[in-house]
């Protein structure tokens, strides 16, 4: 029995913009499939558009994928046996195959102008025909071609596409797809011998890089029959195809440009964790048979199968991404969370690592994104100003509020600094609060400590601040009471 061919998959991003979530999803599904099948995952850079391709974008795509732990076996940075892995470095290879098609008369030079083509299209449409290139230049003799070239006429190279044939393929996600060649017409494959277009370059690269499965976005379905025709003309084998469902917004419309084009770096700056993004994107069009939601990349590999990828559009819901992020923030080991939060922490907060750890531990419960940390935790590091009236519970006057705060302070002063922990604080204060009235005592105490209308509870805050700072803040609140509330 012949050995099963080793799986080889690729992504072919164009470095014409920053890494965005659509590319990451395609990369992830390719990566999962490669890992699951013990195969090879390749990155090939499609930089034939020299005007728009920039090294900084390539660098951003590669470094972004690395941050997500999506790693590749062959690519422009790591090399491999079938390089180069940048299309701009493969011109000679394409030249050879374009020449082959021209020599074999499977492709021809076309000199039709834009205007000619427009005219032709209009005429076909008016006759109710499917608009396609009519093949005018197919009939040019080599002498005519030479003369037109000599005269410097603009040209492209077209593939001769047979008429009336059905091109059929079995998409691993979408099932059987067939197209009549008459709806395609003679495809433009290159601008000249050394300037191939996407459909041509992709076919040559996929063949030479021994790609077994092409897994990419559904927007490429219409390119597939064209690529199959080109592969057929070149005598190449054809890979398996799997087209991933479109990414849609929650109302099932096309995803907005904003979401689609927001770069991965923006998500990181906003405080989304790479693990959460991977988890979210992994479930964008696929889910494991046990419907597990929180799932690591390793588990995804174990459970992944292309057959379980859905045909229907995958809904991109921002609140779902927030939910994943929240879950990862809540459950990640504290040390790791502190390290990940580092870029979001003001420098001077880091001078007190113990307080920082305690603040992180408390705020993680309410943090959807790391960028919220500063606002949630500022009360632990800075005494913000607030109006004295904030201390008043149910319109209690400043005198009464002051007495209550003094009562609380007196009780707290008895607790030694090294025993200033939540449990001890509660044991000391709660019996008093029950006696006096919970709101009456706890509201002024909490607002004195936080300076905020909404905040974590007083015991949590005090356990982070420690004794000196807690009493200091209560003293300041008492002073505010002495000065009277400004109403
Ligand atoms: N450059 C194309 C894209 O990023 C590649 C498509 C393909 O995988 O063939 O959409």
């Amino acid at each position: 029995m012949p050995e099963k061919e080793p799986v080889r998959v690729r992504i072919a991003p164009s470095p014409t913009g920053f890494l965005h979530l659509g590319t990451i999803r395609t990369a992830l599904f390719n990566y999962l499939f490669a890992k699951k099948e013990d195969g090879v995952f390749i990155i090939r850079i499609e930089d034939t558009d020299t005007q728009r391709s920039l090294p900084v974008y390539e660098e951003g795509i590669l470094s972004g994928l690395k941050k997500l732990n999506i790693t590749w076996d062959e690519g422009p940075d790591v090399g491999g046996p079938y390089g180069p892995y940048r299309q701009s470095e493969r011109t000679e290879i394409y030249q050879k195959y374009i020449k082959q098609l021209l020599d074999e008369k499977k492709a021809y030079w076309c000199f039709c102008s834009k205007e000619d083509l427009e005219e032709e299209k209009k005429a076909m449409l008016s006759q109710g025909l499917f608009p396609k290139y009519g093949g005018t230049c197919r009939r040019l003799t080599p002498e005519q071609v030479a003369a037109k070239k000599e005269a410097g006429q603009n040209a492209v190279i077209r593939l001769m596409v047979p008429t009336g044939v059905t091109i059929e393929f079995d998409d691993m996600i979408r099932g059987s797809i067939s197209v009549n060649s008459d709806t395609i017409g003679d495809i433009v494959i290159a601008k000249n011998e050394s300037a191939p277009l996407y459909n041509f370059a992709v076919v040559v690269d996929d063949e030479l890089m021994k790609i077994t499965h092409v897994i990419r976005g559904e927007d490429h379905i219409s390119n597939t029959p064209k690529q199959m025709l080109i592969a057929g003309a070149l005598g190449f084998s054809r890979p398996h195809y799997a087209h991933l469902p479109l990414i849609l917004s929650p109302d099932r419309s096309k995803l907005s440009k904003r979401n689609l084009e927001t770069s991965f770096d923006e998500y990181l700056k906003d405080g989304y964790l790479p693990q959460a993004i991977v988890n979210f994107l992994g479930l964008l069009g696929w889910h494991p048979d046990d419907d597990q939601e929180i799932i690591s990349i390793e588990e995804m590999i174990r459970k992944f199968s292309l057959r379980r990828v859905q045909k229907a559009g995958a809904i991109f819901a921002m609140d779902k991404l927030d939910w994943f992020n929240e879950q990862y923030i809540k459950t990640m080991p504290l040390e790791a969370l502190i390290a990940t939060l580092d870029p979001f922490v003001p420098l001077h907060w880091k001078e007190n690592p113990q307080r920082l750890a305690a603040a992180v531990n408390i705020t993680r419960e309410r943090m959807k994104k790391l960028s919220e940390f500063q606002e949630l935790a500022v009360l632990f590091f800075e005494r913000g100003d607030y109006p004295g009236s904030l201390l008043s519970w149910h319109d209690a006057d400043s005198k009464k509020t002051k007495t209550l705060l003094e009562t609380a302070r007196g009780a707290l002063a008895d607790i030694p600094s090294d025993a200033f922990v939540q449990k001890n604080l509660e044991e000391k204060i709660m019996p008093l609060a029950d006696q006096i009235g919970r709101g009456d005592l706890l509201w002024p105490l909490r607002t004195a400590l936080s300076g905020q209308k909404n905040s974590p509870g007083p015991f949590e805050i005090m356990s982070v601040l420690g004794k000196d700072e807690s009493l200091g803040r209560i003293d300041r609140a008492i002073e505010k009471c002495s000065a009277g509330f400004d109403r």
Side-chain angles (χ1 to χ4, degrees), residues 10-14 44 46 198 202 214-216 219-220 227:
R10 86 316 187 259
I11 56 162
S14 307
R44 180 172 77 222
E46 279 200 2
Y198 159 72
V202 123
V214 169
I215 305 169
R216 61 186 171 192
D219 45 328
H220 285 290
Q227 293 173 10

Side-chain angles (χ1 to χ4, degrees), residues 411 415 421-432 459:
I415 305 174
V421 294
Q422 216 162 309
K423 182 171 152 285
N424 296 344
L425 296 164
E426 274 182 49
E427 275 175 15
K428 194 80 181 176
I429 295 292
M430 282 316 285
L432 279 175
F459 308 116

